Amino acid sequence: MYYFIINPHSKSGYGMSIWKKAEVILKERKISYISYFTQYTGHAQQLAKEIALLCRPCTLSVLGGDGTLNEVINGLMQTDFSHITLGYIPTGSGNDFARALGLPCDVEQCIEMILAPSKYTTVDIGLAHTKDVSRYFLVSSGIGYDADICRNVMASPLKKIMNKIHLGKLTYVLIALKLLIQYKSCPVSVRIDKKEKTSLSKFLFITGMNTPYEGGGVKFCPDANFQDNLLNICMIGNLPKLKILALFPTAFLGKHGHFHGVTLTKCNRIDISSKSRLPIHCDGESMGIADHLTLQSTQKQINVILK
């Protein structure tokens, strides 16, 4: 059985028109399917949970961005999802999950891949939690500057404008530059795999990643392997702003590791404590602000259809 969860407002409102193209193909092929349209924040999470509770083998495909996909994985993690195979039709601004897995953005290719899959892969599921909230992620979760970028991108009218001219990922770059001018660093302490604590006196951000990319294609963790049950960590701090500007172009290529102040590592768990409450993101969606964040591997994976 095929189930589809569609975010009609993804890609600044183009999600519905993309779904209509998919629907034409499904009807031409006389495919039996059930479609659901998200109506509010958190709806995809509830829908995914309800589909998983049916407890029958099926393909659950998501039409939306990384945020919609994040809701779906959070719904699936509330129950047993071993009978679920995940398909994906990326229609977001960043599409970092699709980029990491080499998935197409063309709707016809996506539907063909979902209906006649030739390859599958398993993808790690991470967990981010503060004192107040917990959330699972497929791409990444982080605290500080990168989370502030995500928070501002979601609220910015620029995102809609850039999506209309097919330059959505540049929204992240423009807002990143604007925020960098205003950003004030603060000290944090970091503990990796419950070992000795280390300190960053002028902290910029820390992100834990299952895939190499976040923020619309920035290759912060170039060696990330989404199947190894480990988190790749990128920590950046103790850098003057001019050097951070120089770092950005190299980060798109994954060549930023040679900068002093950049630490790339792997772990099962990282605990981050800050003197100030800082913004947190989970798969590019705001997770509020907090002075403590734990990121860890859940040791669980989801089966995903590949091209």
Side-chain angles (χ1 to χ4, degrees):
M1 185 64 184
Y2 295 97
Y3 294 92
F4 290 86
I5 294 177
I6 301 111
N7 180 353
H9 302 295
S10 61
K11 212 170 184 67
S12 299
Y14 288 108
M16 181 59 81
S17 63
I18 294 169
W19 167 247
K20 287 179 179 178
K21 292 178 182 178
E23 201 170 31
V24 168
I25 300 169
L26 293 169
K27 289 180 177 178
E28 285 177 350
R29 301 276 192 93
K30 298 181 180 179
I31 302 297
S32 177
Y33 67 92
I34 299 174
S35 57
Y36 301 90
F37 297 92
T38 60
Q39 298 175 13
Y40 50 85
T41 301
H43 195 195
Q45 179 172 326
Q46 182 61 34
L47 290 169
K49 179 182 176 182
E50 290 172 1
I51 292 167
L53 285 172
L54 295 174
C55 295
R56 58 184 180 222
C58 67
T59 297
L60 170 57
S61 296
V62 180
L63 190 154
D66 291 329
T68 307
L69 200 58
N70 177 267
E71 287 194 16
V72 167
I73 202 64
N74 275 273
L76 294 179
M77 284 293 284
Q78 295 179 44
T79 183
D80 174 31
F81 58 88
S82 57
H83 55 293
I84 299 285
T85 299
L86 189 67
Y88 188 38
I89 305 171
T91 60
S93 301
N95 292 329
D96 288 306
F97 183 79
R99 182 177 288 105
L101 271 65
L103 302 178
C105 290
D106 177 77
V107 65
E108 292 184 6
Q109 290 184 53
C110 289
I111 291 295
E112 183 63 34
M113 183 179 69
I114 290 165
L115 297 182
S118 59
K119 295 180 183 178
Y120 300 88
T121 189
T122 52
V123 177
D124 294 341
I125 299 169
L127 173 64
H129 59 93
T130 68
K131 295 172 185 176
D132 302 316
V133 63
S134 295
R135 194 144 189 93
Y136 298 99
F137 61 90
L138 288 174
V139 175
S140 67
S141 180
I143 184 169
Y145 176 61
D146 69 328
D148 208 12
I149 294 169
C150 293
R151 182 172 63 170
N152 278 268
V153 166
M154 297 310 296
S156 173
L158 182 64
K159 180 181 178 182
K160 188 173 183 178
I161 295 167
M162 298 302 280
N163 275 342
K164 284 185 176 179
I165 58 174
H166 307 291
L167 293 173
K169 70 179 183 180
L170 283 181
T171 310
Y172 292 90
V173 176
L174 295 173
I175 288 177
L177 293 172
K178 175 187 173 184
L179 289 177
L180 183 61
I181 297 169
Q182 307 167 346
Y183 202 80
K184 294 181 180 179
S185 58
C186 72
V188 301
S189 65
V190 176
R191 191 177 185 188
I192 293 177
D193 288 334
K194 297 185 178 181
K195 296 178 182 177
E196 186 177 347
K197 285 186 179 181
T198 59
S199 297
L200 287 171
S201 59
K202 293 182 179 179
F203 161 77
L204 188 67
F205 75 87
I206 296 174
T207 185
M209 304 181 66
N210 287 325
T211 70
Y213 306 97
E214 73 168 25
V218 186
K219 208 172 185 179
F220 280 130
C221 289
D223 297 326
N225 180 342
F226 52 75
Q227 293 182 302
D228 63 3
N229 280 315
L230 291 171
L231 286 179
N232 278 66
I233 306 297
C234 178
M235 294 187 284
I236 296 182
N238 301 334
L239 272 171
K241 289 183 178 180
L242 283 176
K243 282 196 174 181
I244 294 169
L245 282 174
L247 181 149
F248 268 122
T250 63
F252 273 99
L253 300 172
K255 303 294 185 183
H256 56 297
H258 70 278
F259 277 82
H260 176 75
V262 176
T263 300
L264 301 176
T265 188
K266 287 189 178 187
C267 64
N268 285 301
R269 169 177 173 147
I270 182 169
D271 293 277
I272 306 148
S273 297
S274 167
K275 287 191 176 181
S276 304
R277 288 167 63 83
L278 297 171
I280 297 169
H281 83 85
C282 195
D283 282 343
E285 301 294 310
S286 176
M287 206 172 116
I289 58 173
D291 58 9
H292 178 85
L293 175 66
T294 294
L295 304 174
Q296 63 190 90
S297 168
T298 64
Q299 305 298 304
K300 292 187 177 182
Q301 298 177 319
I302 181 79
N303 199 35
V304 181
I305 297 171
L306 288 181
K307 184 178 178 182

